[in-house]
Amino acid sequence: MNNLNRRKFIKGTVASSAVLAAAAAGLLTPVSAMAASWPKKAFSSKKVDLVLKSLYGSDQVIESKDVKIRAPIQAENGSVVPFSIKTTIPDPEAITIMVTANSMPLTANIKLPSAGGYFSARIKMAKTSDVQVVVQSGGKLYSSKAKIKVTVGGCGG
Amino acid sequence: MARKMKVRTRTQDGMVEVLVLVNHPMETGLRKDKKTKKVIPAHWIQTMNLMHNGKLAAEANLGIAVSEDPLLGFRLPKAKNGDKIQITWKDNKGESGKISAIVDA
């Protein structure tokens, strides 16, 4: 009798876990389909070169003085760092902002079909780090870096 | 739930600058609630599009490292006063919002 109950129990758990797995799969599909244009792989990459490879297919960047970063030298609060980027490179196609010391460096990737080479935002920084900006124009990647000191980190906690 | 949005235009360096403010928590999914020690689920804006006279001018893909209540700035070199702009956004939980404005720089 005892043995029979045990069988039933095992059968029951196997069946219910199968149902759970199916439900999870069903729930996940619409979410991933909805964010199809959002480059999930690039945003979850943990290294700068992997982010660039995933977004542009190349991590070859040219250091350029025409990519200008305006940011404080020292930020008191890492959860709100005012940051703006301006470029004089003609026909910028995309701007990518990466905080190299964050666990996921890619902060924002902006495609510019007709807007000018400018973007501003307030960003979160875990600790003192370089911020690297990459501008895509004519199939080439132009890059510039700025170091921002952070007194209190703004990620996790 | 509708979230508050504000849009403002001004002239900067001979271009029209569009500033967009969205009232949004921008949770990273890395933070923990201090009392319950549970991870606060991620909730952040993934995409924001700026339309200028019905045409896509900028498409921003944002990550979790953009601050709470994001204030984003774009510049439109060809915009004139009276032009129509529209901003739409979407987050990872499927919430979305939009706002229209007329350039008055």
Side-chain angles (χ1 to χ4, degrees):
Chain A
M1 191 63 191
N2 242 343
N3 209 10
L4 195 70
N5 274 345
R6 190 176 156 272
R7 293 251 158 233
K8 263 191 185 165
F9 176 74
I10 289 169
K11 255 191 181 171
T13 38
V14 168
S16 62
S17 64
V19 168
L20 269 178
L27 273 173
L28 283 174
T29 342
V31 174
S32 57
M34 188 190 70
S37 67
W38 191 73
K40 195 180 170 194
K41 203 184 152 206
F43 275 101
S44 54
S45 296
K46 292 196 172 14
K47 283 201 172 123
V48 168
D49 50 346
L50 292 179
V51 171
L52 289 175
K53 272 201 179 135
S54 156
L55 282 175
Y56 303 112
S58 157
D59 61 353
Q60 298 292 313
V61 294
I62 306 161
E63 293 287 325
S64 170
K65 281 181 185 161
D66 295 329
V67 179
K68 290 193 179 77
I69 298 171
R70 224 177 105 189
I73 300 163
Q74 177 143 27
E76 274 182 26
N77 184 353
S79 65
V80 189
V81 183
F83 182 87
S84 81
I85 135 100
K86 196 167 100 175
T87 175
T88 47
I89 294 168
D91 299 325
E93 288 152 27
I95 296 175
T96 302
I97 300 168
M98 289 166 296
V99 182
T100 45
N102 277 3
S103 57
M104 283 159 269
L106 183 55
T107 302
N109 175 46
I110 306 103
K111 286 176 207 146
L112 304 165
S114 75
Y118 175 88
F119 180 72
S120 73
R122 295 182 298 201
I123 58 176
K124 290 177 204 160
M125 293 178 67
K127 56 186 179 202
T128 300
S129 155
D130 277 347
V131 177
Q132 188 176 7
V133 173
V134 174
V135 175
Q136 186 193 27
S137 173
K140 282 184 181 147
L141 301 174
Y142 300 92
S143 149
S144 178
K145 273 182 192 172
K147 191 168 188 175
I148 303 176
K149 282 186 188 164
V150 174
T151 328
V152 182
C155 290
Chain B
M1 190 176 75
R3 296 196 181 270
K4 269 188 202 161
M5 278 182 86
K6 270 185 189 170
V7 61
R8 199 166 72 121
T9 54
R10 62 177 183 182
T11 311
Q12 286 280 308
D13 295 344
M15 287 189 250
V16 171
E17 180 168 322
V18 181
L19 281 168
V20 190
L21 180 76
V22 188
N23 210 326
H24 198 282
M26 297 299 277
E27 274 304 338
T28 59
L30 307 170
R31 252 167 27 115
K32 279 183 186 165
D33 190 308
K34 279 188 182 127
K35 280 178 194 155
T36 61
K37 309 275 185 212
K38 275 186 186 159
V39 174
I40 303 169
H43 188 195
W44 78 102
I45 295 177
Q46 288 188 311
T47 58
M48 185 182 282
N49 292 343
L50 169 66
M51 310 283 279
H52 173 222
N53 281 344
K55 269 191 188 166
L56 187 66
E59 183 191 346
N61 287 318
L62 305 178
I64 56 172
V66 175
S67 299
E68 186 180 345
D69 294 343
L71 174 71
L72 304 181
F74 302 94
R75 283 187 187 172
L76 298 167
K78 290 169 197 156
K80 304 183 297 287
N81 276 357
D83 282 1
K84 279 178 197 160
I85 49 172
Q86 191 185 48
I87 294 116
T88 54
W89 60 263
K90 208 183 237 182
D91 71 18
N92 67 322
K93 288 190 178 174
E95 277 183 44
S96 63
K98 68 176 175 185
I99 190 169
S100 303
I102 284 166
V103 174
D104 179 21

